[in-house]
Amino acid sequence: MKPFLLLASRAEDAAAEDEYAAYLKYGGLAPAQLRRIRLEAAPLPELELSDYAGVIVGGSPFTSSDSDDHKSPTQHRVEGELSGLLDRIVAADFPFLGACYGVGTLGAHQGAVIDRTFGEPLGGVEIELTEAGLADPLLQGMPRRFTAFTGHKEACTSLPSHAVLLATSKACPVQMFRIRENLYATQFHPELDVGGLVTRIDIYRHAGYFPPESAEELMENARQFTVTEPTNILKNFVARYAVG
């Protein structure tokens, strides 16, 4: 089987390794079946899409809607590289799944309005599938409503007319969308279960995302949720696009 490609950009090694382990686990993949490139560490190498079954973009510390003068040279480089790659991915309708940062990358690339209007604090959120979401193969077998973990500064305020809204929530109207037939982005994290979020909070307690003294409270709050459904998106993505 051709490998999938995970494009990651978490600078903290512990967070990067935990994210990679989650995609392996919930995608049902062996390490040889999921190649990872850490975009924050070095320039994106030349890629042949035909070498892969699909492309996954993980979460990121980067906020695409920040003004250019607030972005680091690394963020400018990563955004430029992803934009160029998305030119090819969209043109080919090549299997793509962007988690959280997928909204800021695929959404921005396709003309969505990405800003801070619908940011959400770290925690569990009830997601509701639209009629299109209930019919979409990537959401096969999932209930209309389920809980997922979110935590983001920016979100999609307005989708372009050619996008299909697949999931929404009360506080954030665009939680998942599709472009063409095979290009997906979620605002929530399909790779995170309770243990994954607790680990991530612990890793990031001094990273500036939240007051360090609130870490224990956030971890305890995370443990109050039952989050089992979102990871099925990864399973479905792999099952749908795995090729020999």
Side-chain angles (χ1 to χ4, degrees):
M1 148 179 162
K2 290 184 180 180
F4 288 83
L5 175 63
L6 173 62
L7 299 177
S9 56
R10 299 185 184 277
E12 300 82 2
D13 288 342
E17 293 307 314
D18 187 68
E19 179 183 66
Y20 182 55
Y23 279 106
L24 290 173
K25 177 181 178 180
Y26 290 116
L29 297 166
Q33 297 170 323
L34 183 62
R35 181 190 177 195
R36 177 182 56 171
I37 296 176
R38 293 182 62 175
L39 299 174
E40 88 291 347
L44 183 69
E46 290 293 325
L47 297 174
E48 290 292 338
L49 293 179
S50 60
D51 291 338
Y52 299 97
V55 174
I56 300 168
V57 169
S60 177
F62 301 142
T63 304
S64 64
S65 59
D66 280 348
S67 62
D68 285 346
D69 59 345
H70 280 81
K71 295 178 181 179
S72 68
T74 298
Q75 182 172 352
H76 280 293
R77 173 181 59 76
V78 170
E79 288 181 350
E81 290 169 347
L82 284 174
S83 180
L85 182 60
L86 280 167
D87 287 344
R88 298 162 55 199
I89 286 174
V90 173
D93 196 16
F94 188 79
F96 176 89
L97 175 62
C100 195
Y101 192 43
V103 171
T105 52
L106 179 63
H109 184 274
Q110 289 297 291
V113 176
I114 309 297
D115 58 28
R116 296 191 177 219
T117 304
F118 296 109
E120 294 178 287
L122 197 62
V125 170
E126 184 181 79
I127 307 296
E128 182 173 358
L129 300 184
T130 64
E131 291 302 320
L134 287 168
D136 193 278
L138 211 65
L139 295 162
Q140 180 180 0
M142 296 184 65
R144 179 182 288 273
R145 295 178 181 86
F146 58 89
T147 301
F149 285 127
T150 64
H152 50 96
K153 296 177 182 178
E154 65 181 4
C156 178
T157 297
S158 177
L159 281 172
S161 60
H162 62 283
V164 179
L165 179 66
L166 300 177
T168 185
S169 69
K170 289 182 179 178
C172 183
V174 179
Q175 285 285 356
M176 183 174 182
F177 65 87
R178 189 187 75 237
I179 299 291
R180 304 189 69 180
E181 294 300 317
N182 301 304
L183 314 172
Y184 294 88
T186 68
Q187 187 62 78
F188 59 89
H189 284 272
E191 84 283 7
L192 278 184
D193 57 12
V194 172
L197 181 59
V198 168
T199 298
R200 197 164 292 178
I201 292 169
D202 190 40
I203 291 169
Y204 283 128
R205 69 169 68 217
H206 297 294
Y209 294 114
F210 48 82
E213 63 272 16
S214 70
E216 298 302 326
E217 181 181 352
L218 287 169
M219 288 190 282
E220 184 56 33
N221 180 62
R223 295 186 183 102
Q224 306 309 307
F225 291 96
T226 300
V227 177
T228 57
E229 295 297 332
T231 56
N232 287 317
I233 294 171
L234 302 182
K235 180 183 70 174
N236 289 344
F237 185 77
V238 170
R240 183 179 181 190
Y241 295 115
V243 292

